[in-house]
Amino acid sequence: DGGITQSPKYLFRKEGQNVTLSCEQNLNHDAMYWYRQDPGQGLRLIYYSQIVNDFQKGDIAEGYSVSREKKESFPLTVTSAQKNPTAFYLCASMARKTGSEKLFFGSGTQLSVL
Amino acid sequence: DQQVKQNSPSLSVQEGRISILNCDYTNSMFDYFLWYKKYPAEGPTFLISISSIKDKNEDGRFTVFLNKSAKHLSLHIVPSQPGDSAVYFCAASPYTGKLIFGQGTTLQVKP
């Protein structure tokens, strides 16, 4: 049963702490993405990776870091430099096929600050 | 600079009637458009898409219309059902591998 798995479902961060959100996919997709959802602001792109060992900044990359060591995995670290981390984080993947840019999303991680 | 805009934050419709959700974009280079549906605390799910070479695409109760000259697309749901109540996002692709999302419209279908 193919899909995208995000964990944990809920995560709490203390002041000054780095936290890592996990994202794993078994769809054999080349490209993976991290979005952040805030109320009334839609989905904003944080980072994306179109191939292993390569990634690009999205629109709101400050305070975040990623790695792409394996095709299946694209973890996101929310660093202490991210001053407003409370949001719903969504991981997605896409097969690299022109004319069919369809993203498949995980079920999300809600990050809150203690 | 919001390249994809959904100007209506919310829409309320009676069950059985038509729901029309609108989306405007600014970049004429966008060539592929999608609609996603999202329930609270879940990831968005793909609903329907349209290529810029078409002006209409249908899938069951869902139809997407594209007006390239006006840089406008709309999603029609007929007939609307209570289970359609969700947030709907439109998205546009400026090039392979990237999607830009609108702010979303919350649809409420009343029984």
Side-chain angles (χ1 to χ4, degrees), chain A residues 9 33 35 37 40-43 45 48 50 59 88 90 94 97-108, chain B residues 2 31-32 34 36 38 40-46 51 87 89 93 95-104:
Chain A
K9 183 69 175 173
Y33 304 79
Y35 285 88
Q37 184 190 11
Q41 294 199 50
L43 305 179
L45 182 63
Y48 63 106
Q50 296 192 308
D59 301 317
F88 190 59
L90 288 159
M94 180 193 294
K97 182 180 175 182
T98 56
S100 180
E101 280 78 14
K102 187 163 73 176
L103 281 174
F104 292 83
F105 285 89
S107 56
Chain B
Q2 193 78 29
D31 60 0
Y32 192 69
L34 307 90
Y36 281 84
K38 184 182 181 301
E42 293 184 11
T45 54
F46 170 76
S51 165
V87 179
F89 291 98
S93 176
Y95 56 83
T96 301
K98 187 171 182 180
L99 286 181
I100 298 175
F101 286 84
Q103 308 97 309

Side-chain angles (χ1 to χ4, degrees), chain A:
Chain A
D1 195 17
I4 300 176
T5 302
Q6 287 188 243
S7 62
K9 183 69 175 173
Y10 300 96
L11 186 59
F12 297 91
R13 192 190 92 165
K14 294 181 181 178
E15 199 73 35
Q17 185 182 39
N18 292 354
V19 292
T20 298
L21 284 62
S22 171
C23 178
E24 303 278 330
Q25 56 101 357
N26 59 5
L27 299 168
N28 199 33
H29 285 170
D30 290 300
M32 296 187 73
Y33 304 79
W34 276 104
Y35 285 88
R36 167 179 170 148
Q37 184 190 11
D38 296 276
Q41 294 199 50
L43 305 179
R44 293 185 292 168
L45 182 63
I46 304 172
Y47 266 99
Y48 63 106
S49 167
Q50 296 192 308
I51 198 168
V52 175
N53 292 324
D54 187 45
F55 48 83
Q56 289 79 39
K57 292 181 179 180
D59 301 317
I60 54 165
E62 186 175 349
Y64 300 97
S65 65
V66 293
S67 62
R68 187 83 188 278
E69 297 176 1
K70 298 187 299 181
K71 187 175 184 178
E72 303 79 20
S73 179
F74 192 42
L76 173 74
T77 296
V78 184
T79 75
S80 57
Q82 172 50 244
K83 298 306 179 189
N84 185 23
T86 297
F88 190 59
Y89 290 84
L90 288 159
C91 178
S93 69
M94 180 193 294
R96 286 182 70 191
K97 182 180 175 182
T98 56
S100 180
E101 280 78 14
K102 187 163 73 176
L103 281 174
F104 292 83
F105 285 89
S107 56
T109 294
Q110 175 64 50
L111 175 63
S112 303
V113 177
L114 289 175

